[in-house]
Amino acid sequence: MGRLTMRASTVRAKSSRDPFAHVTYGAETAEYATLVLEPPDRLRTSAVRLRLVIQLEGVTKHYPRSNRPSVEDVNVFIDKGEFVFFIGPTGAGKSTMIKLLLREEVPDKGTITVGETDVTKLRRWKVPAYRRSIGCVFQDFRLLPNRTAAENVAFALEVIGKPRSVARRVVPEVLELVGLGGKEHRYPHELSGGEQQRVAVARAFVNRPLLLLADEPTGNLDPDTSIEIMRLLDRISRTGTTILMVTHDSNIVNQMRRRVIEIENGQIVRDQARGVYG
Amino acid sequence: MRAKYVMSEVFLGLWRNISMTVAMIITMAVSLTMLGAGLLLYNQVDVIEEYYQTNLEVVVYMQRDVTEEVSEKIGEELRASPYVKQAQYESQEEAYERFQETFAETKDLVDSVDPEVLPSAWRVEMHDINDADQLIADFAEREGVYQVTNQRDILQEVFDILGGAQRLTLVVALVQGVAALMLVANTIQVAAYSRRREVAIMKLVGAPNWFVQAPFVLEAVFAGVIGSIFAFATLIAAKFLVIDGQFSNLFSLMPPITMQSILILLPILTGISAVISAITAWITLRFNIKV
């Protein structure tokens, strides 16, 4: 641990903006010991802590007719710009939480507020508009196979009725941001897993959502590529986007040292500001 | 942009599932043809009723050996009846002429009938044809009267036949219609399944529900419209080939089915099939694509 801290200070000297800046590629790349992630510096964080983005109060959801994981009296408050890890064993209820936040499910009890929206009282027809304020990234990328990277990103704009001129302007920018400049016209099968996930992140981020939900975004990626994706998410988090990431990757959690919320049997057993996987 | 996307999805969806699309269009066309035929018959009954309503008569046939005196007396009494507007005598010769005219095309029949066989008659024009039964009751048993017939009773048989044909077409239309709608539901399910990726992503990025559903609903509407056009073409063909063609003699007994009454079916059939297809598709989607 001491070694890590020391490393962190040297890294800070190099670049205070990119926690992955020191990660070198090649032989040492997979060496996690060299990957040191600093938490965002305190001043910055307090500056963006203007309001709560997520409030879960006494949220309970049971599935009486199936053995899907339920959640029991969950209370979570997450600020704007926070980066939060959701950890816990399979079946603990993490994905149910994501479903509740996406309003794919409605809780039995309790209230969920995202931004200004009371999700529990949201009318059905208002759900699409609500989802536009949330970006989503998944383990399996969920790209359209018959569309290029740029078209996949543009699709998110297209289906919510943004004019084509907006897509022409915004899509290249976002792809550049996620590091896919020059690969706009590749199809998903012509991209590596990491690149496909970058497209997915670009699509989630293109509408500048308030909240980005990432359900095991590195689950299908090798360690190197995972680091790249984490670096990308970190950069996005620094733009003020709240990120909620479900993960089983202990290395990432341990080295990012961000807020960790651990769930077990549908209940929060730990909520730690700069937690480790544990 | 979005319209173009939706349209390309519609045609892609129909093409991907072409056998189902064809089956859907055929059953719809059959159902709508039957519905169209049923509507034509319904209209036809109205036309016939209207056509004859003013011309319907009660005919009082006299016995063949009736004397002129008795016949005249019946005529006077008929004229005196409150129900009767006008009564006209038709002699045996006149009856024979009418008979010749009516069956001019079947010479053998005309030749086989003697003028003396046909009875003379009083053709009675009523104030209200609905009072015919009372008039018949008054005169049927009178001396010299052979038989009193109400033309409406004869017409009623024609109506019964038309009504039966109409019911048959409507039943076939209904059964085929149910089959067509089940095919629509099935097609929509298949389409929704083959496009589940797109649908999931669209919902995830917050596409409005109507936008997610539009390609599917329009697919059904498109098939419905094509089916109604085929049905319309079939009815036009039936008019030229069957009614005006092969069976023209049979149909000449009733007023002709006008081109106009067929033309008006195009918007009716198209509208009905488009709306019902759309509703079916939409209901199917509500069970398949949850928000």
Side-chain angles (χ1 to χ4, degrees):
Chain A
M1 211 58 222
R3 188 174 157 232
L4 282 177
T5 323
M6 193 198 74
R7 276 287 198 145
S9 56
T10 57
V11 165
R12 196 170 289 137
K14 247 189 243 170
S15 160
S16 62
R17 301 210 61 192
D18 186 353
F20 295 92
H22 63 286
V23 177
T24 51
Y25 298 94
E28 317 154 76
T29 316
E31 241 180 86
Y32 267 101
T34 61
L35 166 65
V36 181
L37 303 166
E38 58 167 339
D41 79 68
R42 218 167 256 173
L43 246 158
R44 261 183 88 86
T45 316
S46 58
V48 291
R49 272 193 188 182
L50 296 171
R51 59 193 165 105
L52 290 169
V53 165
I54 300 177
Q55 301 175 60
L56 302 182
E57 282 173 279
V59 172
T60 300
K61 174 77 187 174
H62 290 287
Y63 296 97
R65 273 186 298 278
S66 80
N67 52 0
R68 275 188 283 177
S70 51
V71 281
E72 190 69 54
D73 191 26
V74 165
N75 292 284
V76 176
F77 300 90
I78 296 173
D79 284 331
K80 182 167 164 41
E82 261 195 291
F83 196 127
V84 180
F85 287 115
F86 261 34
I87 65 169
T90 306
K94 303 186 298 296
S95 296
T96 305
M97 300 276 284
I98 296 280
K99 284 202 172 86
L100 288 168
L101 284 169
L102 275 173
R103 214 278 190 190
E104 280 179 18
E105 302 284 355
V106 185
D108 303 333
K109 261 187 275 173
T111 54
I112 301 175
T113 313
V114 174
E116 249 101 79
T117 315
D118 184 346
V119 183
T120 34
K121 290 207 186 93
L122 201 62
R123 294 292 190 81
R124 257 175 80 100
W125 63 274
K126 280 188 169 172
V127 171
Y130 163 67
R131 290 210 182 121
R132 287 176 206 177
S133 64
I134 301 176
C136 273
V137 183
F138 295 92
Q139 187 173 3
D140 56 357
F141 318 138
R142 302 203 184 167
L143 300 177
L144 296 173
N146 53 350
R147 284 168 179 260
T148 64
E151 285 167 352
N152 263 290
V153 177
F155 187 72
L157 296 167
E158 220 172 88
V159 299
I160 63 168
K162 290 272 167 68
R164 209 176 204 171
S165 57
V166 172
R168 262 200 295 272
R169 181 166 46 80
V170 173
V171 172
E173 273 175 29
V174 173
L175 285 171
E176 191 67 46
L177 177 84
V178 301
L180 283 177
K183 291 183 175 169
E184 297 93 338
H185 302 300
R186 301 268 184 94
Y187 285 90
H189 66 86
E190 297 170 328
L191 296 168
S192 71
E195 287 168 335
Q196 289 185 49
Q197 194 60 294
R198 283 165 190 269
V199 176
V201 172
R203 185 183 61 198
F205 187 60
V206 71
N207 284 319
R208 307 283 154 156
L210 188 63
L211 171 65
L212 198 145
L213 298 177
D215 196 349
E216 295 193 50
T218 59
N220 274 345
L221 304 175
D222 61 66
D224 294 357
T225 318
S226 299
I227 294 167
E228 290 171 34
I229 293 298
M230 288 317 295
R231 183 188 291 175
L232 178 59
L233 290 179
D234 184 73
R235 202 181 322 155
I236 284 174
S237 146
R238 280 157 200 272
T239 65
T241 305
T242 306
I243 297 186
L244 200 63
M245 173 166 159
V246 173
T247 188
H248 289 127
D249 191 329
S250 55
N251 287 321
I252 286 176
V253 175
N254 290 341
Q255 283 155 56
M256 291 278 285
R257 298 302 296 266
R258 300 297 172 87
R259 183 173 169 189
V260 172
I261 296 175
E262 189 174 347
I263 304 175
E264 245 182 78
N265 293 325
Q267 281 172 318
I268 293 180
V269 295
R270 178 161 63 108
D271 188 344
Q272 203 175 0
R274 291 190 186 183
V276 289
Y277 196 83
Chain B
M1 183 63 207
R2 291 218 279 183
K4 204 177 127 199
Y5 168 77
V6 170
M7 286 324 284
S8 72
E9 284 295 296
V10 167
F11 289 111
L12 192 68
L14 288 169
W15 179 248
R16 234 187 270 172
N17 198 8
I18 185 74
S19 58
M20 196 72 96
T21 305
V22 170
M24 185 163 68
I25 289 173
I26 289 172
T27 40
M28 267 188 188
V30 173
S31 169
L32 291 167
T33 306
M34 288 298 149
L35 180 65
L39 290 175
L40 277 180
L41 284 173
Y42 182 76
N43 184 45
Q44 196 64 5
V45 170
D46 270 2
V47 170
I48 294 172
E49 221 159 35
E50 201 180 324
Y51 182 79
Y52 283 110
Q53 201 71 63
T54 48
N55 302 323
L56 283 177
E57 293 171 331
V58 170
V59 184
V60 181
Y61 293 104
M62 308 307 291
Q63 273 163 359
R64 248 170 254 124
D65 52 1
V66 76
T67 59
E68 221 161 287
E69 249 172 75
V70 174
S71 185
E72 270 306 317
K73 202 171 151 250
I74 294 282
E76 267 165 40
E77 280 177 35
L78 278 171
R79 288 199 180 97
S81 162
Y83 307 123
V84 175
K85 193 176 172 191
Q86 210 186 332
Q88 205 171 6
Y89 184 69
E90 188 179 63
S91 67
Q92 280 186 306
E93 289 76 36
E94 283 163 341
Y96 185 64
E97 272 170 43
R98 183 193 282 267
F99 181 78
Q100 277 178 312
E101 257 174 58
T102 310
F103 296 97
E105 282 173 23
T106 44
K107 255 197 144 29
D108 293 342
L109 183 65
V110 175
D111 290 345
S112 70
V113 173
D114 267 350
E116 291 83 48
V117 177
L118 296 169
S120 60
W122 284 95
R123 307 191 78 88
V124 181
E125 199 182 317
M126 307 283 294
H127 285 296
D128 184 351
I129 191 71
N130 296 318
D131 297 330
D133 284 344
Q134 273 144 309
L135 190 78
I136 291 167
D138 286 352
F139 284 88
E141 303 301 320
R142 300 294 288 273
E143 190 205 343
V145 173
Y146 169 63
Q147 194 184 16
V148 186
T149 58
N150 181 355
Q151 283 185 335
R152 207 170 71 153
D153 291 345
I154 301 166
L155 206 58
Q156 194 58 48
E157 280 172 33
V158 177
F159 284 162
D160 287 347
I161 293 167
L162 287 179
Q166 191 192 338
R167 272 194 292 280
L168 183 70
T169 56
L170 290 183
V171 166
V172 175
L174 192 71
V175 171
Q176 284 284 323
V178 169
L181 293 184
M182 283 179 163
L183 280 172
V184 169
N186 194 299
T187 310
I188 296 305
Q189 280 172 22
V190 171
Y193 184 76
S194 69
R195 252 179 275 156
R196 64 194 182 285
R197 270 183 102 85
E198 282 92 336
V199 167
I201 293 169
M202 280 195 261
K203 287 195 294 178
L204 211 56
V205 298
N209 289 334
W210 70 263
F211 181 73
V212 177
Q213 291 167 352
F216 302 103
V217 172
L218 285 178
E219 239 175 73
V221 169
F222 180 82
V225 169
I226 297 287
S228 71
I229 289 171
F230 275 122
F232 177 70
T234 309
L235 289 173
I236 295 265
K239 157 132 175 98
F240 284 115
L241 299 177
V242 180
I243 298 175
D244 294 351
Q246 227 171 345
F247 294 97
S248 58
N249 292 342
L250 189 65
F251 285 96
S252 65
L253 289 175
M254 53 169 121
I257 294 173
T258 58
M259 199 61 193
Q260 200 194 358
S261 60
I262 295 182
L263 279 178
I264 205 163
L265 283 176
L266 180 62
I268 293 175
L269 293 180
T270 307
I272 288 176
S273 84
V275 168
I276 291 182
S277 305
I279 291 173
T280 308
W282 185 71
I283 290 172
T284 312
L285 285 176
R286 286 193 72 91
F287 290 106
N288 278 277
I289 302 178
K290 293 220 177 83
V291 181

